[in-house]
């Protein structure tokens, strides 16, 4: 995939504090800044989770409710996120499965099958036709596959 541009609001989510898990409010805040003139239909909205090295211990991450855009022009830079180009593994599930906690099962599958991914972020992609009122709506959980070519080039450079 090529680099993709998004905009939207971000909030800290503490899995130990249910009062921080107001994902709908984050989406509502993102929609307040929505400009249909900058919309692109080349890709779908995403819910981006960014984790730092403390996540396994403190269970806090940043969640961003992001809408696709075609240009950064006229948008507050603090609201812009870029998803890097690369190969992404997409795991299809229903919205109900997402809400019931299927994400750890995806990571178990990744580990059990020795898939090499980039840790630090993942996202849910909400395809056209998604309806959060319908638990059977499809969602794609996505992780970036580690680029072994870059690793090899870096390793070769370090040997020189």
């Amino acid at each position: 995939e090529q680099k993709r541009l998004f905009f939207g609001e971000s909030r800290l989510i503490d899995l130990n504090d249910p009062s921080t898990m107001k994902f709908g409010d984050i989406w509502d805040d993102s929609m307040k800044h929505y400009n249909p003139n900058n919309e692109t239909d080349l890709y779908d909205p995403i819910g981006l989770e960014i984790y730092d090295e403390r996540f396994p211990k403190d269970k806090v991450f940043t969640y961003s409710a992001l809408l696709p855009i075609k240009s950064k022009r006229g948008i507050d830079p603090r609201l812009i996120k870029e998803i890097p180009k690369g190969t992404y593994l997409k795991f299809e599930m229903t919205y109900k499965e997402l809400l019931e906690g299927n994400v750890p099962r995806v990571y178990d599958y990744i580990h059990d099958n020795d898939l090499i991914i980039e840790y630090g972020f993942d996202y849910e992609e909400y395809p056209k036709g998604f309806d959060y009122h319908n638990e059977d709506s499809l969602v794609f959980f996505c992780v970036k596959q580690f680029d072994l070519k870059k690793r090899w080039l870096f390793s070769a450079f370090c040997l020189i």
Side-chain angles (χ1 to χ4, degrees):
E1 286 188 16
Q2 294 300 314
K3 176 178 75 173
R4 297 179 289 157
L5 286 176
F6 293 89
F7 87 97
E9 292 287 340
S10 301
R11 302 281 186 280
L12 283 179
I13 303 295
D14 182 346
L15 294 178
N16 300 308
D17 181 0
S19 71
T20 67
M21 296 183 223
K22 298 180 178 176
F23 298 101
D25 290 350
I26 303 169
W27 281 99
D28 289 344
D29 289 345
S30 290
M31 292 303 292
K32 289 177 187 173
H33 304 284
Y34 180 68
N35 177 353
N37 295 328
N38 199 11
E39 176 184 21
T40 181
D41 60 0
L42 296 178
Y43 38 92
D44 297 314
I46 64 170
L48 174 68
E49 291 92 19
I50 300 174
Y51 310 93
D52 68 20
E53 67 279 354
R54 297 178 308 242
F55 175 76
K57 186 175 182 178
D58 66 15
K59 303 296 185 209
V60 174
F61 65 96
T62 301
Y63 180 84
S64 302
L66 300 175
L67 300 158
I69 56 174
K70 55 187 166 188
S71 166
K72 296 179 182 181
R73 191 178 31 215
I75 298 176
D76 182 338
R78 295 172 296 174
L79 299 176
I80 296 173
K81 298 277 189 274
E82 294 181 14
I83 302 299
K85 67 180 181 176
T87 302
Y88 288 82
L89 303 174
K90 286 182 156 185
F91 297 87
E92 181 180 304
M93 63 182 75
T94 64
Y95 186 52
K96 180 179 181 179
E97 291 169 331
L98 176 68
L99 294 175
E100 290 175 346
N102 255 9
V103 171
R105 290 187 203 133
V106 170
Y107 279 103
D108 288 343
Y109 176 86
I110 289 167
H111 181 265
D112 293 347
N113 289 279
D114 296 322
L115 300 173
I116 301 172
I117 63 167
E118 291 189 19
Y119 290 93
F121 78 96
D122 54 43
Y123 63 89
E124 299 91 37
E125 183 175 298
Y126 300 99
K128 288 166 186 45
F130 174 80
D131 177 2
Y132 71 91
H133 293 105
N134 178 358
E135 291 183 333
D136 293 326
S137 283
L138 288 183
V139 176
F140 297 100
F141 182 78
C142 306
V143 294
K144 188 171 190 276
Q145 196 166 20
F146 189 78
D147 187 344
L148 292 174
K149 276 194 291 186
K150 283 185 185 176
R151 172 80 185 254
W152 182 85
L153 288 172
F154 177 74
S155 298
F157 176 75
C158 289
L159 293 174
I160 297 175

